[in-house]
Amino acid sequence: MTKLADAIIIGGGIHGCSTALHLCLAGMKPVLIEKDYAGRHASGVNAGGVRQLARHVAEIPLSIRSMGIWERIEALVDDSCGFESHGQVLVAENAAEFDACRARVAELNALGFTHEELIDGPELRRLVPAVAETCPGGVVSRRDGAAEPARTTTAIRRKAEALGATVVEGVAATNIRKQDGLWQVDVGADSYAAPVLVNAAGAWAGRIAADLGEPVPVETVAPMLMITSRVPHFIDPVVILRGRKLSFKQFANGTVLIGGGHLATPDQDRNETVLDWRSLAISARTVFELFPVMRSATIVRAWAGIEARTKDELPVFGPSARHAGLYHQFGFSLHGFQLGPGAGAVMTELIASGGTQTRIGDLGIERFHSSTP
Amino acid sequence: MNTTARRESYDVVVIGAGPAGLAAATTAAEAGLSTLLLDENAGPGGQVWRAIASTPVTERDHLGADYWAGAKLVEAVRSSGAEIIHRATVWSLDRNLEIGVSLGGASFFVKARRVILATGALERPFPIPGWTLPGVMTAGAAQTMLKSSGLVPDGSTVIAGQGPLLWLLAAQILRLGGRIDRILDTTERRNYFAALPHAFAFMTSPYFAKGFALMRQVRAKVPVVSGVTELAAAGDGELATVTYLSGGRRETVPAELLLLHQGVVPNVNLAMATGIEHRWDDLQLCWSPVLDRDGNTSVEGIAIAGDGAGIGGAEAAIVRGRIAARAAVEALAPTAAARLAPMATFRGALVKAERGRIFLDTLFRPAPQFRIPSGDTIVCRCEEVSAKDILDAVAIGATGPNQLKAYRRTGMGPCQGRLCGLTVTELMAQARGKTPQEIGYYRLRAPVKPITLAELAAVPKTDADVNAVVRG
Amino acid sequence: MFKRSDQDSRRSVHIVVDGAAVAAREGDTVSAALLASGRDVRRATAVSGAPRLPYCMMGVCFDCLVTIDGVGNRQGCLVPVAEGMQIEIQKGKREIGR
């Protein structure tokens, strides 16, 4: 049986769920199709960073838009999502890196962005008391913070459902096609049809785009994370490094999350990853060079979520360059969690009114098809 | 004490030196394969033959003939040529058959062409009110202390639960002069009828005569209350009393020590973290790996033997260890395999060793109220999450153990679900009207045992790092 | 709670528990030695501070977590005692960097 909806969203990550929620807020009835369950992959198992800091200029407007939603996330989804705003700090480990920080902040200021702020050594140590003495300073984005990813994605999905979205889990969308002027997909024995199709399928979105004639240079990656047992509180902001792969934060419950982008080997078809312990060892070494107090903390679990990374490490976000009614929202390249709430809002504006005030022009899929007129 | 393995790779790595692991390592090494046996304990024997090479209990009758039977296997493995490393904690195993091992505060990796997991069993969670109180332990814990340190209870002691181990432990405690005030038998009366059709096979099994002799010995010295349908521990900061209901009569007895036992279940953590497929066993009420007749798992190159493959007891574990090892020899050194006893011999021995198992599984199938708690009873000991907390999460949308983590931190503490996983699965299945198989289990991840950051930081660098240095 | 069997003729090993001398036996695990000591060796959990003692004694429950020679969160039931070993009972979250 074919069921009609206002929009079909493929993918139950934070992006698909957020778009579903915002479409509902705009009075539409979307159906969201998730082959596993909402938040099963990267959206449920990422580091939870809510970060405007150190983003590519092209996605800063979307990130700022999203930050405004994060700050009222509880009112939006009836759950705090574990969101806490203690700032994010980028640490320069030497003079050269500190110079690069200064140049970056100046560049952003010239463009009119003020969220990043250069900090000297004393301010760095005030914000991050445990950091190694040798670090000359860094950059802070004070409104940034962190949230609990699985809880957030689950809360957004739950609110979307409460507002009328249909969420179908455990069955993949297949046979995606445009027929009789509508997008149609098969989901098990059912079919759905809608004038709008949103491709928010994360690591699986590249295949969908390619099948619809819009191939994108995108690969499947699995950034690794590890978490420690509970230790006494010693750090508030999220810390990232300028020169090395590391992100570091302590949850309110005392556990410390260590990430930064070292990759596992993904097995997309098995929903599995094989961890690379030698790379995690690099993260471990980096952590205790920076935070010697962490040496005796115990690691209780390590994992990796499967997601998509584009060639230029920017998302594919906006209308299709080829098909009316098709929208892409994927390829967030290891930094899509913070963008989720804002991307759903902007996507809804694109769908409902054909445009948005938020500058997203450089994120469109057409950038990969420069030969296409 | 050695600090690493002698080689970087082996034909066969066996994990666990209980009955299955000892037999497997011996068979593989005797066939000429390079064999490494990794074990977490200070000496060989696993749990059933715990401390067999070092126990202070010198009166052999006190531990019983089944215990001392392990000595032969220990002797065999020691002369087999297998490399044996004790106090080695395996914290990672992946599809590439690379094994992360922690030893003496440092970690190393070894590769294997075949891995035989012989990680055995653990005691089924027994989530009653107050089971986290100091003074409440598993029966197996008391047995471990008895075997390895000659320690026996000397204050007011209650043993509660069911199953063969419970009676064996009680007999051992009494022989060593320990104190037991009361035994509370939770075996469901209806189980006796359910088990009856399997009784004949059991009566011809080696367990039958031994089991009844033990029960007689214990009953002669300790009051036994049967048909216990409710059980609770209470106390302020430590155990003070045990309350139980039997035949409509509720009684509270003072106790300093409560020993709980309702059978054992496969220790699946390492196997699951490796990605090996498991399924719910409706009779044994636990997850068991999906195996072929040689013990091979869904992951190429990895086999499971012993109670980790499904509870079968020590005799069966020995045979399953030999079968898995023989299959490894067939694959890696076919000519050597020809010199081993034929597979058919092992399969015949396995049938004999498993005789009577269905009777035991049916008779000692734990009652629902002792598996699926309610209210404030703690389910997840590490994160201190109650049954009510979990049901509340189900009510607002948690559909399975992994989704539950987004609501409650169940299974995310250091024990990684070993003490709550089965309870969470059954509790959620009951609440949602689904089967445990449909509800599923935690996705487990390495390290299956915590390692310190310093230890991880010290592991060998990546190939890429090494290459960079060479190029530079 | 527990007493030693009179068959036990193992050599004594001396350990230090929160500053106090405790006699154990060679081959005891730290947890067994603590339980045999008769001292109050309850730890407090990192979550609520609830008191706990070892539960499984076979390395699966993590209720025996203890600081051994300065390293926190060790599984006391898996570590054999050694002469002069320094044991601290953990109260709440294990301090790091000590």
Side-chain angles (χ1 to χ4, degrees):
Chain A
M1 192 184 86
T2 299
K3 300 173 183 173
L4 281 174
D6 292 330
I8 297 167
I9 301 162
I10 300 176
I14 188 169
H15 282 275
C17 291
S18 173
T19 295
L21 169 60
H22 285 94
L23 286 173
C24 291
L25 292 170
M28 296 173 70
K29 294 277 180 242
V31 55
L32 183 149
I33 298 151
E34 163 55 50
K35 68 179 181 58
D36 294 304
Y37 59 83
R40 162 70 177 85
H41 294 288
S43 292
V45 300
N46 67 77
V50 179
R51 173 175 64 83
Q52 303 173 94
L53 181 66
R55 284 192 178 271
H56 191 289
V57 169
E59 59 185 26
I60 288 178
L62 185 58
S63 178
I64 291 173
R65 174 81 186 266
S66 210
M67 203 65 222
I69 301 176
W70 276 106
E71 286 170 341
R72 52 183 175 79
I73 195 84
E74 183 155 13
L76 181 68
V77 300
D78 309 325
D79 188 313
S80 75
C81 300
F83 174 62
E84 289 189 346
S85 171
H86 296 296
Q88 290 220 8
V89 175
L90 180 141
V91 175
E93 292 184 83
N94 55 48
E97 287 182 13
F98 193 45
D99 287 343
C101 290
R102 186 178 293 114
R104 156 80 178 186
V105 171
E107 181 201 354
L108 289 193
N109 288 343
L111 291 167
F113 298 121
T114 56
H115 58 284
E116 292 193 10
E117 188 185 316
L118 193 71
I119 52 172
D120 58 10
E123 175 65 357
L124 173 63
R125 267 170 285 284
R126 191 186 70 79
L127 291 169
V128 189
V131 77
E133 285 291 326
T134 49
C135 301
V139 181
V140 65
S141 176
R142 296 190 193 270
R143 282 165 66 199
D144 290 5
E148 293 170 31
R151 179 173 168 185
T152 303
T153 305
T154 303
I156 296 175
R157 166 241 157 106
R158 204 163 57 227
K159 184 69 179 188
E161 271 188 306
L163 293 178
T166 302
V167 177
V168 184
E169 289 179 315
V171 199
T174 54
N175 193 18
I176 299 166
R177 62 203 183 270
K178 198 158 193 187
Q179 192 178 312
D180 309 326
L182 291 176
W183 289 100
Q184 306 214 10
V185 301
D186 296 341
V187 184
D190 293 328
S191 295
Y192 289 90
V196 169
L197 179 74
V198 180
N199 175 19
W204 290 263
R207 292 180 187 172
I208 293 173
D211 287 348
L212 294 173
E214 289 189 291
V216 166
V218 63
E219 61 176 336
T220 299
V221 292
M224 296 185 289
L225 293 166
M226 52 188 169
I227 195 154
T228 71
S229 54
R230 292 165 193 255
V231 298
H233 171 258
F234 77 104
I235 186 169
D236 285 319
V238 180
V239 171
I240 58 177
L241 294 190
R242 167 84 204 179
R244 292 190 278 180
K245 287 180 178 174
L246 182 75
S247 78
F248 184 86
K249 80 142 178 279
Q250 184 172 30
F251 287 98
N253 64 25
T255 58
V256 175
L257 184 73
I258 299 165
H262 286 292
L263 299 177
T265 307
D267 186 334
Q268 202 169 350
D269 296 323
R270 271 205 190 98
N271 276 354
E272 262 186 33
T273 55
V274 175
L275 299 177
D276 175 359
W277 286 100
R278 290 175 179 83
S279 292
L280 284 171
I282 298 174
S283 296
R285 283 195 284 277
T286 309
V287 167
F288 78 64
E289 282 170 32
L290 211 63
F291 299 107
V293 297
M294 285 293 293
R295 287 185 72 96
S296 62
T298 48
I299 295 158
V300 295
R301 196 166 51 257
W303 68 93
I306 298 175
E307 59 179 294
R309 182 169 71 184
T310 63
K311 197 174 163 191
D312 59 11
E313 299 191 27
L314 286 173
V316 178
F317 185 72
S320 158
R322 213 183 144 132
H323 302 284
L326 172 63
Y327 297 82
H328 296 293
Q329 187 177 355
F330 69 93
F332 287 85
S333 309
L334 282 60
H335 49 257
F337 181 66
Q338 187 269 349
L339 298 176
V346 172
M347 181 56 68
T348 295
E349 289 165 3
L350 294 174
I351 291 167
S353 52
T356 175
Q357 295 296 313
T358 303
R359 274 178 290 144
I360 53 155
D362 295 331
L363 306 179
I365 197 167
E366 60 279 0
R367 72 180 188 274
F368 294 115
H369 306 277
S370 49
S371 58
T372 338
Chain B
M1 194 175 124
N2 40 7
T3 54
T4 184
R6 282 191 219 120
R7 307 159 56 123
E8 287 178 1
S9 68
Y10 292 81
D11 291 325
V12 176
V13 174
V14 179
I15 300 171
L22 291 171
T26 304
T27 303
E30 283 178 348
L33 299 183
S34 60
T35 303
L36 174 65
L37 174 58
L38 295 168
D39 185 65
E40 193 169 35
N41 285 323
Q47 302 308 327
V48 66
W49 302 325
R50 178 85 177 218
I52 189 162
S54 63
T55 180
V57 181
T58 46
E59 294 280 346
R60 293 175 70 93
D61 294 350
H62 286 181
L63 293 175
D66 285 349
Y67 178 77
W68 294 107
K72 225 169 43 200
L73 274 92
V74 171
E75 227 169 86
V77 79
R78 283 181 172 165
S79 55
S80 70
E83 182 181 339
I84 305 166
I85 306 181
H86 285 291
R87 298 194 56 201
T89 297
V90 172
W91 51 266
S92 172
L93 166 65
D94 64 30
R95 289 185 176 276
N96 305 323
L97 308 192
E98 188 172 56
I99 303 160
V101 187
S102 176
L103 181 65
S107 276
F108 62 90
F109 290 95
V110 286
K111 288 270 292 181
R113 296 170 74 196
R114 294 267 156 165
V115 173
I116 299 173
L117 293 179
T119 49
L122 53 86
E123 285 174 277
R124 175 187 294 283
F126 205 142
I128 57 165
W131 73 308
T132 56
L133 282 170
V136 182
M137 301 177 86
T138 69
Q143 201 187 33
T144 293
M145 289 167 63
L146 182 149
K147 289 172 183 168
S148 58
S149 287
L151 287 164
V152 286
D154 69 341
S156 52
T157 299
V158 174
I159 300 181
Q162 59 193 36
L165 180 107
L166 190 144
W167 297 98
L168 175 59
L169 169 71
Q172 289 170 333
I173 289 173
L174 295 172
R175 289 174 199 154
L176 267 85
R179 172 171 166 181
I180 305 170
D181 294 76
R182 202 167 296 204
I183 292 177
L184 307 176
D185 187 340
T186 58
T187 311
E188 282 192 290
R189 295 198 197 279
R190 62 178 176 181
N191 285 5
Y192 290 95
F193 299 103
L196 206 56
H198 310 291
F200 180 75
F202 179 69
M203 285 189 287
T204 61
S205 86
Y207 294 105
F208 173 69
K210 286 185 276 191
F212 276 85
L214 279 176
M215 284 172 80
R216 247 197 333 270
Q217 267 180 45
V218 172
R219 282 175 182 275
K221 293 187 179 159
V222 180
V224 176
V225 180
S226 51
V228 170
T229 53
E230 264 182 51
L231 198 56
D236 182 13
E238 61 188 343
L239 178 69
T241 59
V242 176
T243 299
Y244 61 90
L245 183 67
S246 165
R249 198 163 147 250
R250 191 176 304 274
E251 194 166 347
T252 297
V253 292
E256 175 179 308
L257 182 64
L258 170 62
L259 302 174
L260 296 171
H261 180 78
Q262 52 176 350
V264 296
V265 294
N267 187 353
V268 295
N269 278 54
L270 183 59
M272 280 202 179
T274 306
I276 289 166
E277 190 190 339
H278 286 66
R279 63 172 159 64
W280 180 259
D281 181 329
D282 246 335
L283 178 59
Q284 295 193 343
L285 299 167
C286 60
W287 298 101
S288 294
V290 177
L291 304 174
D292 73 9
R293 62 206 300 247
D294 294 338
N296 292 307
T297 68
S298 64
V299 174
E300 179 73 34
I302 303 180
I304 303 182
D307 275 356
I311 302 305
E315 298 272 329
I318 297 168
V319 185
R320 290 197 278 187
R322 295 201 200 289
I323 289 174
R326 197 189 191 286
V329 177
E330 280 171 21
L332 301 178
T335 47
R339 294 193 298 270
L340 297 174
M343 205 57 122
T345 307
F346 294 138
R347 296 205 201 284
L350 185 59
V351 170
K352 193 166 159 239
E354 287 179 336
R355 191 181 296 157
R357 176 54 49 185
I358 297 181
F359 175 83
L360 292 173
D361 288 344
T362 310
L363 179 61
F364 296 121
R365 199 171 196 261
Q369 69 272 27
F370 296 126
R371 308 195 317 265
I372 307 174
S374 58
D376 292 336
T377 301
I378 294 278
V379 171
C380 170
R381 297 173 64 98
C382 295
E383 296 292 330
E384 303 181 35
V385 182
S386 72
K388 180 179 182 301
D389 292 335
I390 292 169
L391 294 178
D392 288 349
V394 169
I396 59 168
T399 50
N402 293 299
Q403 294 87 331
L404 182 64
K405 295 179 191 168
Y407 298 82
R408 292 283 170 177
R409 287 177 45 85
T410 45
M412 296 176 81
C415 101
Q416 296 209 341
R418 289 170 176 89
L419 273 290
C420 70
L422 290 172
T423 314
V424 165
T425 291
E426 287 208 89
L427 186 64
M428 294 186 88
Q430 188 186 61
R432 299 198 55 231
K434 304 250 180 194
T435 64
Q437 181 72 42
E438 288 168 325
I439 290 293
Y441 196 71
Y442 297 128
R443 264 193 313 283
L444 299 175
R445 307 306 305 246
V448 297
K449 286 288 186 86
I451 51 173
T452 65
L453 200 71
E455 180 168 351
L456 176 59
V459 308
K461 294 183 187 245
T462 62
D463 293 346
D465 288 344
V466 175
N467 292 342
V469 173
V470 170
R471 277 201 306 273
Chain C
M1 197 182 287
F2 291 92
K3 66 172 182 186
R4 293 196 184 270
S5 157
D6 44 21
Q7 295 170 44
D8 185 354
S9 58
R10 293 172 300 161
R11 207 166 56 82
S12 282
V13 173
H14 299 92
I15 60 174
V16 180
V17 180
D18 286 340
V22 166
R25 302 282 174 95
E26 186 171 36
D28 279 350
T29 61
V30 168
S31 295
L34 291 175
L35 287 167
S37 73
R39 295 172 56 90
D40 178 3
V41 293
R42 293 172 296 173
R43 75 179 180 104
T45 64
V47 176
S48 71
R52 295 275 176 92
L53 281 178
Y55 177 74
C56 79
M57 294 297 281
M58 59 168 283
V60 297
C61 77
F62 291 78
D63 263 328
C64 62
L65 292 181
V66 66
T67 298
I68 301 175
D69 290 335
V71 181
N73 288 328
R74 304 282 310 273
Q75 289 184 275
C77 76
L78 293 176
V79 180
V81 292
E83 189 65 35
M85 191 177 252
Q86 300 284 325
I87 309 292
E88 292 161 67
I89 305 302
Q90 291 185 190
K91 298 293 184 189
K93 286 172 193 156
R94 158 69 189 158
E95 295 288 334
I96 50 171
R98 285 195 297 155

